[in-house]
Amino acid sequence: MGASASRGRDARVPAPEPEEALDLSRLPPELLMVVLSHVPPRTLLRRCRQVCRSWRALVDGQALWLLILTRDHGAAGRALLPLVRSRLPSVCDDKPCFLRRFCVGRPIGRNLIRNPCGQEGLRKWMVQHGGDGWVVEENRTSVPGAPSQTCFVTSFSWCRKKQVVDLEEEGLWPELLDSGWIEICVSDWWGARHDSGCMYRLLVQLLDANQTVLDRFSAVPDPIQQWNNNIYLQVTHVFSNIKMGVRFVSFEHRGQDTQFWAGHYGARMTNSSVIVRVRPS
């Protein structure tokens, strides 16, 4: 009877021994760098950099960020890596490496204009109101590739709007900007509502550190006439021979209607862009 009861009881399974956590501080610096290169860049800055002095030194140095860049096997990454290696940012003892901002912001190939379609109202733009001022409305005609189908709308007197892009703040550094191997592509969409014509102007300027104009592009297209089927047009330009010293891009456009009607019947603007690319070899 005792033997039968013994056979009926559940067998006790010994509890597993707790696994010992990997102590990364014991790793050689070269191996630790490889491990950290798999961590998302923002996590490296916000968390890993706070662990200890040795981790902070790795995160602030160039070697870790170069290792991260080598993992970008896309066409843009393959074109960019040799350029980055040949134009490494200056190392200053009192300043963190520019490469870390570059890897976090990834400024090559993305739109550096903030709030390009008015999805955040007028935020990020310096505005000058004319007539009844700027408003944001839904597009009456779809604009391809726009992050939002909304637009900025002008009134019966000239309305101006401007945004200045700080290229270094976005993650680019002087040696790269002055390399001669990048180009700056600008684009803007403008249009009218069907029952009112409009006028539009665009001015893009490349500025140095002191805000001196080094290059410029302006567009003064013919007005769109009334009864236009809610047309949208695109203006584009490529600054392909960037002069030494460019540090900012000033993007300014303005518009008004041709009927001089109260309200918001003027030029409609959306999907503005400033994009830095590596020049085709």
Side-chain angles (χ1 to χ4, degrees), residues 62-70 72 76-90 97-100 102-103 106-108 171-177 179 181-182 278:
Q62 288 185 350
L64 172 61
W65 301 104
L66 275 173
L67 187 56
I68 291 172
L69 285 174
T70 62
D72 185 352
R78 291 195 301 270
L80 182 61
L81 186 59
L83 176 58
V84 169
R85 282 176 168 163
S86 65
R87 294 291 189 276
L88 287 175
S90 300
C97 172
F98 256 107
L99 276 181
R100 70 181 209 177
F102 179 85
C103 291
R106 304 192 69 84
I108 300 293
L172 299 159
W173 61 90
E175 291 86 351
L176 183 60
L177 290 169
S179 68
W181 287 102
I182 66 167
V278 178

Side-chain angles (χ1 to χ4, degrees), residues 158-199:
W158 285 109
C159 297
R160 301 171 185 246
K161 185 161 61 65
K162 177 180 178 180
Q163 191 169 146
V164 178
V165 177
D166 185 335
L167 297 173
E168 290 188 63
E169 188 66 29
E170 293 293 339
L172 299 159
W173 61 90
E175 291 86 351
L176 183 60
L177 290 169
D178 295 340
S179 68
W181 287 102
I182 66 167
E183 59 187 17
I184 298 176
C185 312
V186 298
S187 171
D188 203 20
W189 288 83
W190 72 285
R193 51 181 289 163
H194 180 60
D195 54 357
S196 176
C198 70
M199 295 181 285

Side-chain angles (χ1 to χ4, degrees), residues 14-22:
E17 293 290 332
E19 295 184 3
E20 183 179 354
L22 176 62

